[in-house]
Amino acid sequence: MGGGSLPYVSQRLLTDPDPRVSEALRTFIYGPMKDSPLRAVDTTRLEYLTSGFSSYSDATVALADMSDATAVAAVQDQAFSAADVERGVKQLADILLVPEPEPTPLQAIVEDEIARLLGASARQAAAQFRESPAGRLATNVLDPFGLLKPLRDGPLLNPDEQDETVLESSSKIAAIAERPTREALEMLRGLPSDQQQRALDSVVRTLWENREGAGYVLQRLQDRLRQQVAVRLE
């Protein structure tokens, strides 16, 4: 993929609902394991994708503001402001909180990864608690005859290889996001108080305006988690 085409390709992969683009997005993010339960996000490709989309967004803003060479220079030199926060939050809402019952290709991947992470984290926490002194005490008190042992030892409450893959992948993604998140927070703290308030207001306003889409996302996450439980109880 040529560097010059990356921003456009990234934008299309992340926003185009075409089924062929959806399949291309899954292949790009997961590679040949895209249909495997042990699939994991390719973090290198994820960085390329998010970087390309950011470049596309920046270029779009510049072109929208451009009227002459002076305007271009002004856009390039513009300091971070509440308007940047507003624009970023709106872009995220536009691609992740789409007000439709059926998810977009990107939403489907993001929601699937969130559900997998929630399930894996819950099973890991449950396993760690059972091995703790408090957990062993609770087992002896609540199940002295071992009637619930099949449930405790079953796949519903115990992490497996798939969970280990999900947790490892999430750790890598978190490591990638740590630096830009920290830098964004530092820039936000560096704004004047009125700009900080404006940025906060824009986040709240955007979430409220996209509450319908957020409701669909929460419903689909609940459905995915219920499906996880059903599969592990089979």
Side-chain angles (χ1 to χ4, degrees), residues 113-224:
E113 287 300 316
I114 291 174
R116 294 172 75 206
L117 176 59
L118 290 174
S121 299
R123 285 183 286 276
Q124 182 187 59
Q128 291 173 344
F129 176 74
R130 285 197 306 275
E131 296 302 319
S132 69
R136 289 193 289 270
L137 176 61
T139 298
N140 292 333
V141 172
L142 299 176
D143 188 29
F145 302 109
L147 298 178
L148 298 179
K149 190 175 188 301
L151 178 62
R152 292 198 306 273
D153 295 343
L156 180 62
L157 298 177
N158 288 277
D160 54 18
E161 185 180 2
Q162 179 180 343
D163 291 332
E164 293 173 1
T165 300
V166 170
L167 292 170
E168 181 181 358
S169 176
S170 299
S171 295
K172 292 179 180 179
I173 294 173
I176 293 173
E178 191 272 337
R179 179 179 176 182
T181 300
R182 184 181 67 250
E183 291 176 347
L185 289 174
E186 290 174 352
M187 289 190 292
L188 184 59
R189 284 195 293 265
L191 292 175
S193 58
D194 63 319
Q195 289 280 300
Q196 291 184 18
Q197 185 60 51
R198 176 183 167 185
L200 178 60
D201 290 345
S202 72
V203 173
V204 174
R205 183 174 62 254
T206 300
L207 289 175
W208 175 252
E209 291 172 349
N210 290 273
R211 61 192 181 279
E212 182 181 6
Y216 284 128
V217 170
L218 291 175
Q219 182 60 56
R220 289 193 296 264
L221 282 175
Q222 292 174 8
D223 293 342
R224 289 179 184 275

Side-chain angles (χ1 to χ4, degrees), residues 43-74:
T43 52
T44 300
R45 292 183 175 186
L46 180 63
E47 283 190 280
Y48 284 143
L49 195 63
T50 54
S51 174
F53 183 74
S54 177
S55 297
Y56 179 89
S57 300
D58 291 344
T60 301
V61 172
L63 288 172
D65 292 342
M66 182 176 61
S67 59
D68 51 35
T70 302
V72 175

Side-chain angles (χ1 to χ4, degrees), residues 11-66:
Q11 184 271 343
R12 185 170 182 196
L13 282 175
L14 291 176
T15 60
D16 195 324
D18 188 294
R20 292 171 298 179
V21 177
S22 173
E23 188 67 14
L25 178 62
R26 287 183 59 83
T27 300
F28 188 84
I29 289 180
Y30 293 117
M33 299 285 286
K34 63 183 175 66
D35 296 319
S36 169
L38 298 179
R39 64 188 178 277
V41 173
D42 186 318
T43 52
T44 300
R45 292 183 175 186
L46 180 63
E47 283 190 280
Y48 284 143
L49 195 63
T50 54
S51 174
F53 183 74
S54 177
S55 297
Y56 179 89
S57 300
D58 291 344
T60 301
V61 172
L63 288 172
D65 292 342
M66 182 176 61

